[in-house]
Amino acid sequence: MDARDEVVTPHAPGPSPTGGHPPHAPRATGTGRERGSLGIDRDHLPELLEATRAYAARLLAGLGDRAAARTPTRPAPASLPEAGIGLRGALEEFARRWEPGFAAGAGPRYLGFVTGGVTPAALAGDWLTGTLDQNPTSGLDSLAPDLEREAVTWLRDLFGLPSEHEGAFVSGATLSNFTGLAIAREWLGERRGVSVAEEGTAALGPVTVLSGSPHSSTVKSLSMLGLGRSAIRRVGLLPGREAVDVARLAEELDRLDGAPAIVVANSGTVNTVDFDDLRAIAALREHHPFWLHVDAAFGAFAALSAEHAHLVAGLGEADSVCVDLHKWLNVPYDSAVQFTRRRDLQIRVFQNSAAYLTPVGDVPDLVHLTPENSRRLRALAAWFTLAAYGREGHAEIVARDIALAAELGERIAAMPAYRLLAPVRLNVVCFTLASSPTPAGIAEVADAITESGEAFLTPTVHEGVPALRAAFSNWRTTESDVERIAKLLQEVVNQA
Ligand SMILES: *Cc1c(COP(=O)(O)O)cnc(C)c1O
C-alpha cells in the first residue's frame, strides 16, 4: 500500500483526511475568542500523536515498496504560513508535498554510500529523545548524561576497546574524526611545549599528517582545524590494495627525523573496505613519536564477527578512534562516537567555562568533550537498540550483511557483463563493467538502477576505474533483496 493513500486519518476516515473540518480553522472556545493552532494542538495532543504514529507505521510498512531513491520534481515553493495549519494540517502538507520525494534510505535495497537503517528499538529511542528533550550537556538537572555515559561504556565493550578509552557522542563520523584530530593537534602542541587551545595553531608550526587512504572527512577536518588540507601526506599503499604499506609509512616517519606527527589509519575504506594493519602501525611508535588516530567509521563493526575481528586487531592501541553509529549500528542519523585515551587533552580543547556550569571535575560534564554545547540526548537511540538486541542481536546484523555482500559479490563475478574490482572483504561490493568502463557508462547503469526504484547504488572511482559500490549495512536486507538486485543488474546491462 502506498503510505500516502491514507495519511493521518485514523479518527476521521472519509474523503477528507482531516475529518471534515479544515485543519487550520481556529475553533471557538468557551471564551468566545478564537484560539490559534498551537492551543488546539495542545488540547488534542494524544490523538495527534496517535495519528502521527499511525502514519509512521504505514510509512514503515511501505518501506520495501517505496522507491529506494528518487529523482523527483520539486514541489512549488510555499511561503511561510502566517497563522499555521496545526499538526494535522502540517502532516497533510508534508505527505502531499514532500514525502513522495523521500527515498527509502532506511529500506533494504538502499545500498548507496554506507547507509544503515533504523532498528525498532532505535526508532523508539529516537522518538523518546524528542519527547523528553533532555539537554545532556551538564548534570545539573537530570541523569541524562549518565545514560549517555552508560551507552558509551556499552559501545566500548561492543568494539572491544580497553578501559583507558573514554568516549563521547557526536553527530557523525566527520565530527568524530574532527574531535579526534583536535585532540591530536593538542598532543602535538604538548610535544612542542605549546597549548594550541590557548595560543592557536600559529604557535604549533607546520604539521604532518600521514595516511594511506584517508576518508574525505579527514581532509575536511584538517581544514576546519586550521591545519590545512595540504597537511596530509599520502603514504604509498600495498600493491592492489587500499591499505597503507607500513614499510613506507616507517620511511616517511624516518624522514621526519624525530618530529612528532599524526598518523590517520583507516579501518574500512569506502571503496573496497580495506584495513590498515593497526598492530604494525602502532608498533612504529617505539621508534617514532606520533598520534595514532583510527577512522573505523564502519569497519569497527568487524569486531562483532569472529571471522573478521582480526581486521581491527590493535584498534585499542590507537590514541583516538572514530566510529559511526548511524551506519552499521542502525540508529537514525545524528550519531557517532569518539574514543580517546587522552581525555585531559580533549578537555583542554573543548572545555567550556561559564558561571552557570560546574567546573571540570573527575567526571566532566559532556559540554567539555565535544564541539557542541547544548544538544539532543543522541545516545538514547543507541542505548535502546543495545538494550533491546544486545551484542548478539547486533552481531547478527553484521554477520548477515557480510554474508549478503559476499553473495552479491559471487553473483556479480558470475555475470559476464561485470567484474569485481576487489575481493569482497566485508560489506561492500565494488565492481565495474567488464568491458571498457567509462564514467558515462557507469553513470548510465547507476541512473537506470535509480530509475527502476528497486535499489540505490553509488558510483565511485577505484584506482582510476569508474565503478559502482553496493554497501550492506541495513538490518532489513535479506537474501531475496540480493536476488532482486542481481536480477536488476542483469536487466540494466541488457537494456544498455
Ligand atoms: C561515512 C564515513 C565518514 C563520515 O561519516 P559521516 O557520518 O558522514 O560524518 C568518515 N569515515 C569513513 C570511513 C566513513 O565511512
Side-chain angles (χ1 to χ4, degrees), residues 70-78 96-98 100-101:
R70 309 256 178 169
T71 46
T73 43
R74 283 190 179 72
R96 188 177 65 79
R97 293 183 60 229
W98 291 109

mmCIF file of all heavy atoms in Angstrom, residues 70-78 96-98 100-101:
data_model
loop_
_atom_site.group_PDB
_atom_site.id
_atom_site.type_symbol
_atom_site.label_atom_id
_atom_site.label_comp_id
_atom_site.label_asym_id
_atom_site.label_seq_id
_atom_site.Cartn_x
_atom_site.Cartn_y
_atom_site.Cartn_z
ATOM 1 N N ARG A 70 14.955 8.615 -5.157
ATOM 2 C CA ARG A 70 14.068 9.376 -6.031
ATOM 3 C C ARG A 70 14.851 10.451 -6.763
ATOM 4 O O ARG A 70 15.764 11.029 -6.220
ATOM 5 C CB ARG A 70 12.986 10.085 -5.200
ATOM 6 C CG ARG A 70 12.261 9.173 -4.257
ATOM 7 C CD ARG A 70 10.896 8.841 -4.800
ATOM 8 N NE ARG A 70 10.231 7.906 -3.886
ATOM 9 C CZ ARG A 70 8.952 7.587 -3.963
ATOM 10 N NH1 ARG A 70 8.197 8.125 -4.889
ATOM 11 N NH2 ARG A 70 8.431 6.726 -3.133
ATOM 12 N N THR A 71 14.441 10.706 -7.968
ATOM 13 C CA THR A 71 14.934 11.889 -8.662
ATOM 14 C C THR A 71 13.692 12.728 -8.974
ATOM 15 O O THR A 71 13.222 12.771 -10.099
ATOM 16 C CB THR A 71 15.669 11.499 -9.958
ATOM 17 O OG1 THR A 71 14.872 10.536 -10.647
ATOM 18 C CG2 THR A 71 17.016 10.894 -9.664
ATOM 19 N N PRO A 72 13.138 13.322 -7.951
ATOM 20 C CA PRO A 72 11.792 13.888 -8.081
ATOM 21 C C PRO A 72 11.799 15.304 -8.637
ATOM 22 O O PRO A 72 12.823 15.967 -8.660
ATOM 23 C CB PRO A 72 11.324 13.925 -6.636
ATOM 24 C CG PRO A 72 12.578 14.156 -5.850
ATOM 25 C CD PRO A 72 13.732 13.609 -6.648
ATOM 26 N N THR A 73 10.626 15.712 -9.036
ATOM 27 C CA THR A 73 10.444 17.128 -9.317
ATOM 28 C C THR A 73 10.094 17.801 -7.993
ATOM 29 O O THR A 73 9.340 17.256 -7.192
ATOM 30 C CB THR A 73 9.296 17.348 -10.320
ATOM 31 O OG1 THR A 73 8.229 16.477 -9.933
ATOM 32 C CG2 THR A 73 9.737 17.013 -11.731
ATOM 33 N N ARG A 74 10.670 18.954 -7.792
ATOM 34 C CA ARG A 74 10.432 19.655 -6.522
ATOM 35 C C ARG A 74 9.027 20.241 -6.503
ATOM 36 O O ARG A 74 8.538 20.705 -7.534
ATOM 37 C CB ARG A 74 11.429 20.789 -6.355
ATOM 38 C CG ARG A 74 12.766 20.288 -5.941
ATOM 39 C CD ARG A 74 13.728 21.366 -5.528
ATOM 40 N NE ARG A 74 14.961 20.690 -5.149
ATOM 41 C CZ ARG A 74 15.781 20.117 -6.007
ATOM 42 N NH1 ARG A 74 15.532 20.173 -7.300
ATOM 43 N NH2 ARG A 74 16.861 19.489 -5.592
ATOM 44 N N PRO A 75 8.393 20.268 -5.338
ATOM 45 C CA PRO A 75 7.090 20.932 -5.266
ATOM 46 C C PRO A 75 7.275 22.435 -5.418
ATOM 47 O O PRO A 75 8.369 22.958 -5.175
ATOM 48 C CB PRO A 75 6.595 20.578 -3.867
ATOM 49 C CG PRO A 75 7.814 20.241 -3.079
ATOM 50 C CD PRO A 75 8.828 19.712 -4.044
ATOM 51 N N ALA A 76 6.198 23.079 -5.810
ATOM 52 C CA ALA A 76 6.246 24.540 -5.937
ATOM 53 C C ALA A 76 6.590 25.124 -4.573
ATOM 54 O O ALA A 76 6.160 24.607 -3.540
ATOM 55 C CB ALA A 76 4.898 25.050 -6.418
ATOM 56 N N PRO A 77 7.363 26.192 -4.548
ATOM 57 C CA PRO A 77 7.716 26.781 -3.247
ATOM 58 C C PRO A 77 6.478 27.286 -2.512
ATOM 59 O O PRO A 77 5.514 27.731 -3.145
ATOM 60 C CB PRO A 77 8.647 27.941 -3.612
ATOM 61 C CG PRO A 77 8.679 28.042 -5.083
ATOM 62 C CD PRO A 77 7.926 26.908 -5.683
ATOM 63 N N ALA A 78 6.516 27.187 -1.209
ATOM 64 C CA ALA A 78 5.409 27.707 -0.399
ATOM 65 C C ALA A 78 5.978 28.777 0.522
ATOM 66 O O ALA A 78 7.123 28.662 0.959
ATOM 67 C CB ALA A 78 4.797 26.572 0.421
ATOM 68 N N ARG A 96 1.693 15.450 1.250
ATOM 69 C CA ARG A 96 1.333 15.832 -0.114
ATOM 70 C C ARG A 96 2.545 16.382 -0.879
ATOM 71 O O ARG A 96 2.806 15.989 -2.007
ATOM 72 C CB ARG A 96 0.233 16.899 -0.053
ATOM 73 C CG ARG A 96 -0.391 17.282 -1.387
ATOM 74 C CD ARG A 96 -1.524 18.284 -1.208
ATOM 75 N NE ARG A 96 -1.066 19.570 -0.697
ATOM 76 C CZ ARG A 96 -0.486 20.506 -1.443
ATOM 77 N NH1 ARG A 96 -0.279 20.310 -2.727
ATOM 78 N NH2 ARG A 96 -0.097 21.658 -0.906
ATOM 79 N N ARG A 97 3.279 17.273 -0.217
ATOM 80 C CA ARG A 97 4.313 17.996 -0.974
ATOM 81 C C ARG A 97 5.684 17.322 -0.929
ATOM 82 O O ARG A 97 6.437 17.400 -1.875
ATOM 83 C CB ARG A 97 4.441 19.431 -0.443
ATOM 84 C CG ARG A 97 3.215 20.293 -0.692
ATOM 85 C CD ARG A 97 3.433 21.725 -0.215
ATOM 86 N NE ARG A 97 4.545 22.366 -0.906
ATOM 87 C CZ ARG A 97 5.526 23.030 -0.312
ATOM 88 N NH1 ARG A 97 5.536 23.154 0.999
ATOM 89 N NH2 ARG A 97 6.495 23.572 -1.006
ATOM 90 N N TRP A 98 6.048 16.742 0.213
ATOM 91 C CA TRP A 98 7.438 16.330 0.380
ATOM 92 C C TRP A 98 7.665 14.819 0.456
ATOM 93 O O TRP A 98 8.630 14.311 -0.087
ATOM 94 C CB TRP A 98 8.033 17.005 1.629
ATOM 95 C CG TRP A 98 8.184 18.470 1.438
ATOM 96 C CD1 TRP A 98 7.461 19.475 2.018
ATOM 97 C CD2 TRP A 98 9.117 19.129 0.557
ATOM 98 N NE1 TRP A 98 7.869 20.702 1.563
ATOM 99 C CE2 TRP A 98 8.887 20.506 0.665
ATOM 100 C CE3 TRP A 98 10.105 18.669 -0.317
ATOM 101 C CZ2 TRP A 98 9.626 21.443 -0.068
ATOM 102 C CZ3 TRP A 98 10.844 19.595 -1.045
ATOM 103 C CH2 TRP A 98 10.593 20.964 -0.905
ATOM 104 N N PRO A 100 6.423 12.204 -0.943
ATOM 105 C CA PRO A 100 6.589 11.410 -2.166
ATOM 106 C C PRO A 100 8.006 11.489 -2.743
ATOM 107 O O PRO A 100 8.426 10.596 -3.475
ATOM 108 C CB PRO A 100 5.579 12.034 -3.139
ATOM 109 C CG PRO A 100 4.569 12.689 -2.259
ATOM 110 C CD PRO A 100 5.319 13.174 -1.061
ATOM 111 N N GLY A 101 8.728 12.524 -2.425
ATOM 112 C CA GLY A 101 10.093 12.674 -2.942
ATOM 113 C C GLY A 101 11.152 12.126 -2.008
ATOM 114 O O GLY A 101 12.345 12.294 -2.259
#
